[in-house]
Amino acid sequence: CASLPPCASLCLPASLSSPSPFLCLPFPLYLLHPLPSSHETKHSAYAKADLAAGGMGTGALQPLIERALFPSPKPSRYNPELQNLIWIPSEHKDKIPCTFFQNPLASHLVIYCHGNAADLGTIYYETQGLASFLKVHVLAMEYSGYGLYEGTPSEGVINKDLGSVFRFATATLNIPSSRIVFYGRSLGTGPCSKVAAQLCRKKTPVGGLILQSPFTSILDAARNISSLAGLVMKNCWSNDVEIEAITCPLIIVHGKLDKVIPHKMGTELYHLCPSTKKRLLISETASHNSFHLFHDLIKPISKFIQDFVDVKENLKALAVVIPSTYVCVKAHNRLSGAVL
């Protein structure tokens, strides 16, 4: 079974009348730039989301919340010599570390965004396996502040970085957008839904969207654990808003035993999505951190790609060559030019 490291925990009051004064709130997600108050409508919140800025939580709690919600593995679980590691230009001065796995039979590229408490090292064999079993190329992206990527994680930075990775795939690797599939797991469903929705709104063809253990919003996931989460948290990554713009093929995979992000959130997103090519799989045996690799992931996702994504007969294999300038060792956030 594929699994993720344990989620970070933030202790919050379970309720005012709870017999236990505190409840540990596990987060498979980052809390990043806040959205407006929950009293506003979702769509007005969406319109203002790109303008939102500021801290997470309030007052003295902010550092505690940030540490709990950004539990990047320390030290990094990989080094600059990691095989298949490439560095993609971002909109800012930093380069984005990514791993790229090729499959000679691949006709599509999957851009993968990992879950919380993980980095490219911890998901290395998971993404390598996806490339092998799904017969796709896989480009996995790191988050700012995680692994070898210096900086501070935020919703805005991660969304922009995913956009940069997408543009690298289309402009530098010359991969048609219609052959690109976004795959987000847990936290990663936020940026994947956001960027895929932006592309769909612009009528840019998208190969598909895969959401594994998705949340409706960060705040909804937190409130599932503690009804008082809204007192110290603000919202971000509203997947329930973004999903309404998704017109590309969609598959949602969720575990019925998921206690972190209830499977009802995945079901809600499925019904909100207007795409005519969509599927929902609720695994009876999967939890948040444990899925059966073949039965829960490979088999249904392969069928999804075959039925909805790879729809053209005799679609040629997608040959991809990474320019040597992107395959290098990092030294103080700069490209050294040394080819691995």
Side-chain angles (χ1 to χ4, degrees), residues 48 66-67 71 95 124 136 144 176 179 228 277 303 320 333:
K48 298 178 182 178
E66 289 180 350
R67 287 196 298 271
K95 300 294 191 295
Y124 188 84
V136 295
S144 177
R179 293 213 202 180
L228 301 181
K277 298 178 179 180
K303 190 68 165 60
V320 177
N333 235 9

Side-chain angles (χ1 to χ4, degrees), residues 127-188:
T127 46
Q128 185 180 50
L130 290 175
S132 177
F133 291 117
L134 295 178
K135 295 181 175 59
V136 295
H137 301 310
V138 175
L139 180 59
M141 183 191 87
E142 190 60 281
Y143 304 142
S144 177
Y146 280 63
L148 299 180
Y149 193 178
E150 299 172 2
T152 302
S154 75
E155 180 186 21
V157 169
I158 294 175
N159 289 342
K160 287 182 179 180
D161 283 351
L162 182 54
S164 295
V165 171
F166 174 80
R167 287 187 292 275
F168 171 82
T170 55
T172 302
L173 302 183
N174 297 314
I175 299 175
S177 63
S178 59
R179 293 213 202 180
I180 295 177
V181 177
F182 292 96
Y183 187 144
R185 178 170 185 174
S186 189
L187 162 69

